[in-house]
Amino acid sequence: MKKRIFSGVQPSGNLHLGNYLGAIKNWVKLQNEYESIFCVVDLHAITVPQDPEKLRKKIIEVAKIYLAAGIDPQKSTIFIQSHVPEHAELAWILNTVAKMGEMERMTQFKDKSQKEGRESASVGLFDYPVLMAADILLYDTQVVPVGQDQLQHIELTRTLARRFNKSFGDTFIIPEYFIKEEGKLIMGLDDPSKKMSKSAKSEYNYIALSDDEETIRKKIKKAMTDSGSEIVYRDDKPALKNLINIYSLLTDRSTGNIEKMYAGKGYADFKSDLADVVIAFLRPFQEKMAKISDEEVLDILKKGADKVRPIASKKLSEVKDKIGFII
Ligand code: AQP
């Protein structure tokens, strides 16, 4: 029996190299070893304001990104979160298991609510980690492949599952996380102390998977660098380290090898080649995406939801029964 993995990306903003290198790239490999479920998490996306028309387009775009990246619908199940209402229902039940204190310690909420101010942040944004726990626990997920920024949320998921099991008897599998060392945290091009993020204020923070050649060159040229002129992979040069990381992950060259290639050369040569590397990766990726029709992707998403709904429904019934609801 294969172990089961579950993961997802929010259809909010422009998906970027961080989302690809930290998460989606790993899913493509893992789908060969695991029974894989990948979700477009639209319920998470609405925790910050979204334009309805843009959201509809983004949901389809994210699914196309999964397919263009190499997620194979013959091997993996892809679906839209809101097509399986059990996610929201289990989240409500888990809300009664989660404690205010532990929710208030979630650093992503602190970071994200800072943008608008805590008073204006939605309750949904605060509750996001509980919904994520529901997403994972609903499918008896054993492994959750994510980027480093999601680690705290997986820890919370484990805590909620254990607490529920203790109160009501064995119900949930305690999931493990899968965070690959390489690519686990891609930093912003304009600020290497913060993660590359879709919701960053400046578009110079990220390279979107949809960026064209000119934009990529411009963004990489403008990317922050550190003092000095050598191309070295060192902690005291976080901006350069991040750029070398991206180069390494897209070419499968080691960081040491990249240092050697650029010995005696400067930032201009390195950045120009990095732009070539990113373009060489993104061009075929974007061509593949363009060939996938909306109808094709909607059909895959519908079949995906039909496939996972019975799993979700069975688990939710078990939960309802355990807590004393009449099912
Ligand atoms: N900078 C990153 N480096 C590595 N992995 C990353 N991920 C996100 N940013 C990086 C991983 O991408 C997956 C999907 O992320 P998400 O859509 O759930 O949103 P997020 O984690 O909140 O990331 P974003 O892109 O920064 O979105 P916004 O700006 O909307 O918050 C996750 O596995 C995540 O770890």
Side-chain angles (χ1 to χ4, degrees), residues 22-62:
I24 303 170
K25 185 178 184 221
N26 298 328
W27 304 353
V28 176
K29 286 215 175 107
L30 293 169
Q31 70 179 340
N32 298 315
E33 293 164 50
Y34 292 86
E35 186 198 334
S36 307
I37 306 178
F38 302 118
C39 189
V40 182
V41 289
D42 53 351
L43 296 176
H44 285 277
I46 59 163
T47 57
V48 296
Q50 301 290 343
D51 174 85
E53 271 322 302
K54 284 192 191 146
L55 178 61
R56 248 188 287 280
K57 288 203 179 101
K58 277 284 161 202
I59 293 169
I60 292 175
E61 188 185 298
V62 171

Side-chain angles (χ1 to χ4, degrees), residues 7-24 26-27 41 44-45 47-48 50 62 66 108 112 115 125 128 132 144-151 153 178-179 182-188 194-200 205-206 242:
S7 199
V9 173
Q10 297 183 67
S12 56
N14 293 316
L15 263 68
H16 49 72
L17 279 180
N19 297 129
Y20 175 74
L21 297 171
I24 303 170
N26 298 328
W27 304 353
V41 289
H44 285 277
T47 57
V48 296
Q50 301 290 343
V62 171
Y66 290 179
Q108 273 231 6
K112 289 190 179 184
K115 286 174 192 154
L125 187 66
Y128 172 121
M132 183 165 158
V144 192
V146 283
Q148 164 108 332
D149 60 316
Q150 296 296 335
L151 178 59
H153 295 164
F178 175 97
I179 296 176
E182 305 84 36
K184 68 180 183 185
L185 195 59
I186 303 296
M187 310 312 280
K194 296 209 175 80
K195 69 166 189 164
M196 186 176 279
S197 173
K198 307 186 203 94
S199 56
N205 168 274
Y206 56 80
N242 187 43

Side-chain angles (χ1 to χ4, degrees), residues 22-269:
I24 303 170
K25 185 178 184 221
N26 298 328
W27 304 353
V28 176
K29 286 215 175 107
L30 293 169
Q31 70 179 340
N32 298 315
E33 293 164 50
Y34 292 86
E35 186 198 334
S36 307
I37 306 178
F38 302 118
C39 189
V40 182
V41 289
D42 53 351
L43 296 176
H44 285 277
I46 59 163
T47 57
V48 296
Q50 301 290 343
D51 174 85
E53 271 322 302
K54 284 192 191 146
L55 178 61
R56 248 188 287 280
K57 288 203 179 101
K58 277 284 161 202
I59 293 169
I60 292 175
E61 188 185 298
V62 171
K64 285 187 183 176
I65 286 173
Y66 290 179
L67 297 173
I71 299 297
D72 177 354
Q74 303 300 326
K75 295 181 188 162
S76 304
T77 308
I78 310 176
F79 74 103
I80 301 172
Q81 186 184 27
S82 63
H83 285 184
V84 182
E86 283 82 353
H87 287 251
E89 222 180 323
L90 180 60
W92 180 257
I93 294 171
L94 292 178
N95 275 335
T96 65
V97 176
K99 313 270 187 219
M100 284 301 288
E102 62 199 358
M103 294 298 288
E104 274 165 356
R105 286 193 290 277
M106 296 292 115
T107 54
Q108 273 231 6
F109 175 73
K110 286 185 198 159
D111 290 348
K112 289 190 179 184
S113 60
Q114 244 178 22
K115 286 174 192 154
E116 302 290 325
R118 193 186 150 91
E119 287 294 308
S120 324
S122 75
V123 176
L125 187 66
F126 182 71
D127 200 31
Y128 172 121
V130 175
L131 178 59
M132 183 165 158
D135 300 338
I136 296 166
L137 299 177
L138 206 45
Y139 297 100
D140 283 336
T141 304
Q142 282 142 310
V143 183
V144 192
V146 283
Q148 164 108 332
D149 60 316
Q150 296 296 335
L151 178 59
Q152 199 186 24
H153 295 164
I154 311 285
E155 296 290 4
L156 177 79
T157 303
R158 291 164 58 85
T159 303
L160 298 184
R162 277 200 208 98
R163 193 176 296 149
F164 187 98
N165 287 352
K166 197 162 170 235
S167 301
F168 302 104
D170 258 0
T171 310
F172 295 122
I173 287 184
I174 313 296
E176 308 285 333
Y177 54 80
F178 175 97
I179 296 176
K180 201 158 189 258
E181 189 51 36
E182 305 84 36
K184 68 180 183 185
L185 195 59
I186 303 296
M187 310 312 280
L189 298 184
D190 59 348
D191 179 358
S193 70
K194 296 209 175 80
K195 69 166 189 164
M196 186 176 279
S197 173
K198 307 186 203 94
S199 56
K201 280 206 182 95
S202 163
E203 59 172 1
Y204 286 96
N205 168 274
Y206 56 80
I207 295 185
L209 298 176
S210 56
D211 277 346
D212 62 24
E213 205 170 315
E214 201 191 324
T215 311
I216 294 167
R217 290 199 191 280
K218 209 162 50 182
K219 286 184 176 176
I220 293 181
K221 209 167 175 184
K222 254 191 101 158
M224 223 178 119
T225 40
D226 309 282
S227 56
S229 57
E230 283 169 293
I231 306 302
V232 282
Y233 188 77
R234 284 205 321 247
D235 289 341
D236 63 340
K237 295 187 180 291
L240 187 56
K241 190 177 172 196
N242 187 43
L243 296 180
I244 295 178
N245 234 338
I246 295 173
Y247 194 127
S248 163
L249 287 161
L250 290 179
T251 55
D252 283 330
R253 282 180 195 278
S254 71
T255 53
N257 184 253
I258 295 167
E259 283 181 321
K260 278 196 200 115
M261 280 168 62
Y262 290 94
K265 293 184 181 169
Y267 284 144
D269 284 328

